[in-house]
Amino acid sequence: MARNVRLMRCAPEDVFRVLANGWLYPLWVVGASRMRDVAEEWPAEGATLHHSFGSWPALVNDTTIMRVWDPPRRAVLEPHGGPIGIARVAVDVKARGDMCVVRLQEESVTGPTTLLPDVVFDAITRWRNAETLHRLAYLAEGGAPGTSGGSAARGHESTAEREPINR
């Protein structure tokens, strides 16, 4: 199981405001390229996002189901990646003073990625999910609707800005 952890300069509720807005999904999830529909019930457990991954003309229509929704602590999403298979992604958030720690864990459930050795799957997935958390930080720290205007507006530099570009 691939694990990534990131300290963000926001409250856990800010992270969950981003997760609750299904239309923001392709802005923070690496590989998701467009939204097709968001279930009216989103983010309730069992609700579905309809999106695509890839790049035109090689787009694959995909869905993600919310399996656990326990704000502001935990969300578990189940992306269905067509020929790639199904994954389980857990987002755990804990307050740390005026900041929070976000842990992203991903495991392959079905599909060809289950055949990869754990060390290979984990290395590829950790690399991708480092960027996913980088994007989530931009949004949760104030770049998304419903957040408080950006960390610069609160007198702080975004944690996303301090991360090196080449990973």
Side-chain angles (χ1 to χ4, degrees), residues 5-133:
V5 178
R6 183 183 185 96
L7 184 65
M8 295 186 191
R9 192 175 298 280
C10 62
E13 292 80 6
D14 292 321
V15 174
F16 276 82
R17 259 191 286 285
V18 174
L19 301 179
N21 186 339
W23 292 103
L24 296 178
Y25 190 79
L27 295 180
W28 64 273
V29 175
V30 173
S33 55
R34 66 178 179 196
M35 286 304 301
R36 300 184 341 269
D37 193 22
V38 176
E40 196 172 309
E41 308 81 33
W42 186 265
E45 292 177 9
T48 305
L49 295 177
H50 300 271
H51 50 91
S52 303
F53 71 89
S55 183
W56 186 89
L59 284 169
V60 175
N61 288 339
D62 190 6
T63 59
T64 293
I65 301 169
M66 182 66 73
R67 292 298 182 199
V68 175
W69 180 249
D70 183 22
R73 293 173 290 284
R74 182 172 173 80
V76 178
L77 298 96
E78 186 180 272
H80 292 234
I84 296 173
I86 298 171
R88 185 165 296 115
V89 179
V91 181
D92 294 293
V93 184
K94 292 184 180 181
R96 291 290 181 263
D98 64 345
M99 301 174 80
C100 66
V101 175
V102 181
R103 181 179 67 186
L104 188 70
Q105 296 183 114
E106 182 172 344
E107 63 182 320
S108 188
V109 177
T110 68
T113 54
T114 60
L115 303 174
L116 292 173
D118 289 345
V119 68
V120 174
F121 175 80
D122 289 356
I124 293 167
T125 305
R126 277 194 316 266
W127 184 52
R128 186 191 75 228
N129 285 343
E131 175 61 20
T132 292
L133 285 177

Side-chain angles (χ1 to χ4, degrees), residues 18 24 27 135-151 154:
V18 174
L24 296 178
L27 295 180
R135 294 175 183 191
L136 184 58
Y138 275 121
L139 295 168
E141 290 177 344
T147 57
S148 54
S151 49
R154 292 185 300 220

